[in-house]
Amino acid sequence: MSASSAEAGTRIEVVLVKAGRTKLRYPASVVSDDGTRVSVRAPWAAEGVRDFGFVRFEPGDVFTEHYWRDRWYAVKEVRDADSVLKGWYCDITRPAVVRGGELIAEDLDLDLWVSADGATVLRLDEDEFAESGLAECDPEAATRAVAALDELELLAKLGQFTALID
C-alpha cells in the first residue's frame, strides 16, 4: 500500500476523527480504490446495538463504505447478517485521506439516512453541527458541509442516490 492508495483485498484501518480526536477506529477490507473513491467493507464496529428509531445497527451488520478524496461526505451501505439492505448512512466529512495503512475521515457532525426503498430521507444531527462552532472557526468548511448534505439529500429525493456508488 502506498502513501496515498489502497490495494483491493488488503486490510486498512478506518479512523473516524471528530473535533481533533479519534472517535472510532476499526479494521476494514479494501474493496476498491480508483484514486478518487476508496471503498471498504467492515462489520458493525461498535459494541452492542444502536437503535436510532428509524434503523438499528447491530452485530452481524456489514457496512460497505465509500469515501472520496474530493468530496465532503462518505456513504455507508448497511446490510444485515442475511445481506438484506437496510439503507445508507451518510456522514458529512472532510475529504478522506489514505496514509500509512489508514483511511482517515473527519466527521463534521451532519448526517443523512436513506432507507433501502428510498422512501425515507432524514437529515440528522443539524443541532450538533450548529453547536460544533465550525461555522465560526472555519466558515468555508461549514459551507461545504451544508452543501454536501444538500447534495446527498437532493440525489436521494430524485432517486439518483445509488448512482454515487455504482
Side-chain angles (χ1 to χ4, degrees):
M1 187 177 309
S2 75
S4 62
S5 66
E7 188 175 325
T10 62
R11 301 292 284 173
I12 195 166
E13 285 285 313
V14 176
V15 182
L16 302 179
V17 177
K18 188 170 184 175
R21 294 188 311 238
T22 298
K23 175 176 139 180
L24 190 59
R25 171 187 289 272
Y26 53 93
S29 181
V30 176
V31 175
S32 64
D33 183 355
D34 66 8
T36 301
R37 184 179 82 186
V38 181
S39 299
V40 301
R41 187 167 292 124
W44 168 238
E47 291 187 20
V49 173
R50 180 133 186 230
D51 190 341
F52 291 95
F54 50 87
V55 68
R56 288 169 49 103
F57 295 161
E58 51 203 334
D61 286 351
V62 176
F63 287 66
T64 301
E65 305 176 356
H66 307 277
Y67 297 88
W68 284 264
R69 292 175 176 90
D70 63 350
R71 297 184 191 178
W72 287 68
Y73 52 77
V75 175
K76 301 172 181 186
E77 179 185 275
V78 185
R79 293 184 178 271
D80 70 14
D82 295 322
S83 295
V84 175
L85 179 64
K86 292 184 175 188
W88 297 270
Y89 195 90
C90 307
D91 287 322
I92 304 303
T93 67
R94 291 183 189 270
V97 175
V98 175
R99 175 177 63 229
E102 296 179 331
L103 188 158
I104 304 160
E106 183 181 346
D107 185 346
L108 298 177
D109 292 309
L110 292 171
D111 301 295
L112 186 79
W113 170 254
V114 181
S115 62
D117 63 4
T120 303
V121 179
L122 300 171
R123 292 171 73 108
L124 306 169
D125 304 328
E126 290 178 296
D127 54 338
E128 287 180 33
F129 178 73
E131 293 169 8
S132 74
L134 186 65
E136 291 77 31
C137 69
D138 191 344
E140 181 182 347
T143 298
R144 287 177 175 254
V146 172
L149 182 65
D150 291 344
E151 175 187 346
L152 289 172
E153 181 182 33
L154 179 62
L155 289 170
K157 288 183 174 181
L158 293 175
Q160 299 171 356
F161 184 77
T162 57
L164 285 171
I165 55 178
D166 287 338

